[in-house]
């Protein structure tokens, strides 16, 4: 065997061994998707979010079992996503979760609270005036501050049945620069609703309870109340 041949064989052996080590040492939860059988911190994060939003009733143990899969499917169904029980790119983005092997990072706009809120505002108020968009963003933030609602932006937005745009999947349509700017203004303290935590469209709302709430202001097609 010649010198060059020996070198090639040695390199191939190293590559093959490295590939085997990678295959056996990689955590399923570090893959491009998180699914049944995955374990680790990212599964714990997913379970925690789903539990806070009311989709998951099992233990937060970092193990992606059948209950976690059912909760993911429930979340996907409510949010207009493919119901496969797998947390891939789209489902992770909807949850505000960063998949470790993804090119995005935790600071990526696609996974930030600002972008999530802007998507919700686009789904709920894209036909409203700029002030109307800020008002919807302000309601989300007012709920975060209230003891009666989840204490995070994602928790408020994904609370079951809280927003029509989440229930019918419009939140997955994306957003635009105006909605992002409106959310920034709300985050900076502009609240055209004066502290409201509810709003509805009188032309389409069928819930008697929401219509009984004290009205504070009307902006465009939305009535804002406490």
């Amino acid at each position: 065997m010649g010198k060059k041949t020996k070198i090639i064989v040695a390199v191939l052996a190293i590559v093959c061994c490295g590939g085997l080590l990678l295959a056996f040492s990689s955590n399923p939860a570090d893959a491009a998707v998180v699914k049944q059988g995955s374990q680790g911190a990212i599964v714990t994060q997913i379970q925690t979010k789903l539990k806070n939003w009311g989709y998951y009733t099992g233990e937060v143990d970092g193990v992606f079992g059948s209950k976690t899969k059912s909760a993911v499917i429930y979340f996907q169904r409510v949010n207009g996503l493919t119901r496969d029980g797998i947390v891939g790119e789209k489902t992770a983005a909807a949850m505000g979760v960063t998949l470790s092997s993804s090119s995005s990072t935790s600071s990526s706009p696609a996974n930030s609270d600002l972008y999530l809120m802007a998507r919700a505002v686009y789904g709920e108020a894209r036909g409203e005036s700029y002030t109307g968009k800020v008002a919807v963003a302000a309601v989300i933030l007012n709920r975060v501050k209230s003891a009666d609602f989840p204490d995070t932006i994602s928790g408020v937005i994904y609370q079951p049945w809280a927003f029509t745009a989440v229930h019918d999947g419009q939140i997955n349509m994306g957003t635009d620069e105006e909605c992002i700017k409106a959310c920034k203004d709300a985050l900076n303290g502009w609240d055209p609703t004066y502290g409201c935590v509810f709003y509805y469209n009188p032309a389409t709302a069928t819930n008697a309870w929401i219509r009984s709430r004290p009205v504070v202001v009307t902006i465009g097609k939305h009535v804002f109340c406490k």
Side-chain angles (χ1 to χ4, degrees):
M1 184 181 295
K3 186 175 180 180
K4 287 187 178 180
T5 305
K6 288 181 179 178
I7 292 173
I8 293 171
V9 170
V11 170
L12 288 173
I14 291 170
V15 171
C16 290
C17 288
L20 286 171
L21 285 172
L22 181 61
F24 283 108
S25 64
S26 62
N27 188 321
D30 292 332
V33 299
V34 182
K35 58 185 179 180
Q36 190 163 357
S38 296
Q39 299 182 34
I42 192 169
V43 177
T44 300
Q45 184 183 4
I46 290 168
Q47 290 174 329
T48 300
K49 285 177 175 286
L50 292 173
K51 197 175 187 73
N52 289 341
W53 298 334
Y55 295 97
Y56 179 60
T57 58
E59 292 185 14
V60 178
D61 56 8
V63 179
F64 200 123
S66 58
K67 286 187 177 181
T68 304
K69 180 178 180 180
S70 296
V72 171
I73 292 173
Y74 180 16
F75 175 85
Q76 290 170 329
R77 176 170 58 81
V78 170
N79 292 285
L81 299 162
T82 301
R83 290 173 280 181
D84 56 8
I86 297 172
V87 182
E89 183 180 355
K90 290 185 178 180
T91 298
M95 289 181 174
V97 171
T98 300
L99 299 177
S100 59
S101 61
S102 170
S103 58
S104 63
T105 66
S106 58
S107 61
S108 167
N111 293 313
S112 69
D113 282 342
L114 171 63
Y115 187 72
L116 176 61
M117 187 159 62
R119 285 165 49 204
V121 170
Y122 184 82
E124 291 279 316
R126 60 185 177 276
E128 295 295 308
S129 66
Y130 184 73
T131 301
K133 293 179 176 70
V134 177
V136 170
V139 166
I140 293 171
L141 296 175
N142 290 338
R143 289 189 180 188
V144 173
K145 297 173 187 175
S146 171
D148 296 327
F149 297 91
D151 59 3
T152 63
I153 288 173
S154 60
V156 164
I157 291 173
Y158 284 122
Q159 187 175 28
W161 306 101
F163 293 96
T164 300
V166 174
H167 179 65
D168 63 15
Q170 291 188 67
I171 193 170
N172 299 310
M173 294 173 62
T175 189
D176 58 22
E177 288 300 321
E178 184 170 80
C179 288
I180 292 173
K181 185 174 182 296
C183 289
K184 287 180 179 178
D185 279 339
L187 285 164
N188 287 330
W190 184 15
D191 182 3
T193 76
Y194 306 101
C196 287
V197 291
F198 299 106
Y199 67 89
Y200 62 92
N201 184 338
T204 59
T206 58
N207 185 291
W209 179 85
I210 193 67
R211 288 178 174 274
S212 71
R213 307 303 298 173
V215 174
V216 175
V217 63
T218 298
I219 303 174
K221 295 180 180 179
H222 287 144
V223 171
F224 294 83
C225 47
K226 293 187 176 180

